[in-house]
């Protein structure tokens, strides 16, 4: 019941209706509302704006185009893939520049750490930013970061749908997934507050 009341309250507080997504919209107004990737792609096609780069980049590009501003520069292209570690490896093996979280490393870490090992954010960051360090140092990093890894972590801004529904379920523990989805759609229909990040994921 609490979940249904929240949905009703959210709907009744909507004082504005989302405007049509056309070339007459300003960039600021575009950024005030939630749009699906399909909607943004359609506008980009109509405006002749490049559609690559993901939803966040596309939204920024469209906002600039609507305001007649220079389009944001595309992110630098990835460098060519560098040489990756091959087996056999051991604790003294040095992590090279550009090393990925490969199956070679996974097998080594499963043997060195145990079946509980997985590439979490801490280990991915270590592998990506620690060229010249050894695999034994990576194992030590895994163990040193376990207390922090066990703490609840804030869901990234780019995962707006997951972040919203996680918070919704904490407030409505008896709510159903369908009610959470309905609350998300009601939330998306409202203008965003100043400074609120745009959503780059979640159902359309």
């Amino acid at each position: 019941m609490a979940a249904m009341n929240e949905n009703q309250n959210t709907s009744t507080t909507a004082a504005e209706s989302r405007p049509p997504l056309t070339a007459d919209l300003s960039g600021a107004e575009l950024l005030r509302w939630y749009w699906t990737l399909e909607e943004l792609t359609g506008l980009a096609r109509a405006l002749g704006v490049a559609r690559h780069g993901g939803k966040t980049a596309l939204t920024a590009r469209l906002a600039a185009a609507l305001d007649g501003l220079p389009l944001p520069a595309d992110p630098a292209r990835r460098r060519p893939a560098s040489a990756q570690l091959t087996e056999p490896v051991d604790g003294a093996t040095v992590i090279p520049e550009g090393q990925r979280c490969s199956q070679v490393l996974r097998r080594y870490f499963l043997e060195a750490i145990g079946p509980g090992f997985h590439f979490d954010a801490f280990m991915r960051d270590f592998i990506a930013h620690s060229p010249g360090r050894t695999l034994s140092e990576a194992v030590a990093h895994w163990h040193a970061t376990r207390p922090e890894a066990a703490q609840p972590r804030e869901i990234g801004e780019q995962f707006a749908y997951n972040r919203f529904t996680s918070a919704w379920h904490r407030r409505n523990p008896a709510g159903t997934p369908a009610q959470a989805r309905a609350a998300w759609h009601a939330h998306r229909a409202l203008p965003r507050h100043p400074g609120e990040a745009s959503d780059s994921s979640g159902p359309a």
Side-chain angles (χ1 to χ4, degrees):
M1 182 61 69
M4 296 303 295
N5 288 340
E6 179 173 324
N7 290 344
Q8 293 169 356
N9 292 338
T10 301
S11 298
T12 56
T13 56
E16 301 177 73
S17 296
R18 194 178 70 156
L21 184 58
T22 69
D24 295 327
L25 210 62
S26 69
E29 191 68 7
L30 175 81
L31 298 173
R32 290 186 66 227
W33 302 90
Y34 290 99
W35 311 96
T36 66
L37 180 58
E38 182 179 2
E39 290 173 315
L40 295 171
T41 300
L43 179 61
R45 187 178 295 111
L47 294 176
V49 171
R51 304 186 294 276
H52 65 273
K55 189 173 180 182
T56 299
L58 177 57
T59 301
R61 202 177 296 125
L62 285 172
L66 290 170
D67 288 341
L69 300 174
L71 300 186
D74 287 336
R77 294 184 178 273
R78 291 184 177 180
R79 290 174 296 178
S82 58
Q84 301 291 297
L85 290 175
T86 58
E87 293 172 323
V89 296
D90 57 27
T93 299
V94 173
I95 299 171
E97 181 76 35
Q99 175 64 40
R100 297 189 296 271
C101 295
S102 65
Q103 290 302 314
V104 170
L105 293 190
R106 184 184 301 278
R107 284 190 288 271
Y108 170 77
F109 290 135
L110 284 172
E111 181 177 348
I113 294 171
F117 171 78
H118 58 280
F119 282 113
D120 61 6
F122 297 99
M123 285 297 279
R124 290 195 301 270
D125 183 72
F126 186 90
I127 297 301
H129 299 103
S130 302
R133 308 282 290 277
T134 65
L135 294 186
S136 63
E137 289 179 285
V139 171
H141 178 75
W142 164 269
H143 291 300
T145 55
R146 289 315 85 197
E148 187 176 355
Q151 300 299 315
R153 298 182 64 78
E154 181 72 17
I155 299 175
E157 285 290 337
Q158 68 273 29
F159 301 110
Y161 173 75
N162 292 342
R163 182 161 44 86
F164 176 88
T165 54
S166 292
W168 188 91
H169 279 297
R170 288 196 296 270
R171 297 192 303 270
N172 304 275
T176 66
Q179 290 170 333
R181 188 181 178 91
W184 164 250
H185 281 290
H187 171 72
R188 284 204 333 173
L190 300 173
R192 290 196 293 269
H193 299 295
E196 183 181 352
S198 62
D199 65 318
S200 57
S201 69

